[in-house]
Amino acid sequence: MLRRGDRVFDNSGLRELIERGLGPNATFEDAQIPLGIVTTELLTGKEQVFTSGPILEPLLASTAMPLALPPVTIDGRQYIDGGVVNNVPIAPALELGASTIYVLNATAHTQDPRPLIRPMDYLMHAFSLARAQRLIVERRFADAERAEIIMLPVVPLEFYVPFTSFKHTRMLIERSYEATSRFLDSASQKSESTQERTFLLEAATQAE
C-alpha cells in the first residue's frame, strides 16, 4: 500500500477477459441498445460518458477503482472508475433517452460492516458512504424528470467481503443472478396482468 505507483493490481487480466468476450475491436455501435459507459477524468474529477467508438478502453477505465487498478489513458487524458463521481449514473441514462431505469446498487449496506481497525479502514468506509449518497441525489433528479426507477434486489450477506477479495466472486454472481431473475420474472408477470386488466376494462367500456 505504501509503494510508489498508481495501482496495486494490473489490469492485463481484465483486458484479456474483455477482449475474449467482446473481441479486441468491439465498438459502442455494435451494441443492440444504446450504451453509455461512465468514467471520471482523473485530474479534473469531471464525469465523462463514452457513447461511441472503441469500447475496450472506456470499459477498462470504468473499472479502474483508485488504489486497486491503474487509470486508463484515452485521447491523452487519464480516466478512472465513474463511481468516484457518480456511482449510480441515473442522470446519464436519462440523457440517453431512458424512461425506465433498472438500478443495482453496488454500495448497498447489506453485508456485515467493514471492521474499522486501521486508518485505511476508516478511509475506505468514508469513501463508501460518499458514493452511496450520490444515489439519493440521482433519485431526486429522476423523480423530477418523471422517470420510473426500479431498484433490483440486493442479496443480503452474513459476512463482510473486502473489496480486494475474489474468494466469493462466483457465489456472489450466482446469488445476484438468481435474485434478479426471480425479481424480473415477477415484475414481468405483474406487468402482463396489469395490461390484461386494462385491456378487459377498455373492452368493457367499448361494449357499454
Side-chain angles (χ1 to χ4, degrees):
M1 294 292 183
L2 299 178
R3 68 183 183 183
R4 292 180 179 272
D6 57 7
R7 91 296 297 271
V8 173
F9 306 106
D10 189 70
N11 66 4
S12 58
L14 187 56
R15 177 184 293 272
E16 181 181 343
L17 179 65
I18 296 172
E19 290 182 339
R20 189 167 62 245
L22 300 179
N25 301 313
T27 67
F28 283 86
E29 290 72 21
D30 295 330
Q32 296 182 7
I33 60 175
L35 173 64
I37 294 179
V38 181
T39 65
T40 302
E41 188 177 345
L42 179 60
L43 293 183
T44 65
K46 178 183 177 182
E47 176 182 279
Q48 175 67 47
V49 183
F50 291 91
T51 59
S52 63
I55 198 173
L56 176 60
E57 301 302 323
L59 194 53
L60 281 173
S62 74
T63 67
M65 186 179 220
L67 180 69
L69 294 169
V72 176
T73 301
I74 303 174
D75 295 331
R77 297 179 184 273
Q78 287 189 308
Y79 296 93
I80 57 175
D81 180 11
V84 171
V85 293
N86 195 348
N87 193 46
V88 185
I90 292 173
L94 293 171
E95 292 172 0
L96 288 173
S99 58
T100 301
I101 303 174
Y102 292 82
V103 175
L104 177 59
N105 182 13
T107 60
H109 298 286
T110 58
Q111 61 177 343
D112 283 355
R114 168 189 290 273
L116 300 179
I117 301 173
R118 305 164 301 166
M120 179 60 72
D121 297 327
Y122 285 87
L123 174 63
M124 295 306 299
H125 179 66
F127 181 52
S128 175
L129 292 177
R131 285 161 58 97
Q133 289 304 305
R134 182 59 190 256
L135 174 58
I136 298 174
V137 176
E138 290 282 296
R139 293 195 68 171
R140 290 172 182 166
F141 183 80
D143 290 341
E145 295 290 323
R146 300 181 183 276
E148 182 180 10
I149 304 297
I150 299 175
M151 301 297 297
L152 297 175
V154 179
V155 180
L157 297 177
E158 59 278 2
F159 54 90
Y160 172 70
V161 181
F163 83 99
T164 56
S165 172
F166 295 96
K167 180 179 179 181
H168 306 288
T169 298
R170 182 175 295 278
M171 180 269 289
L172 294 175
I173 291 174
E174 290 175 351
R175 280 196 186 183
S176 296
Y177 180 83
E178 292 170 359
T180 301
S181 295
R182 288 195 299 269
F183 176 85
L184 293 178
D185 287 343
S186 175
S188 177
Q189 292 173 3
K190 290 180 181 179
S191 176
E192 291 176 358
S193 177
T194 301
Q195 291 175 359
E196 182 177 354
R197 288 197 299 271
T198 301
F199 175 77
L200 291 173
L201 178 60
E202 290 177 349
T205 302
Q206 292 173 1
E208 293 175 358

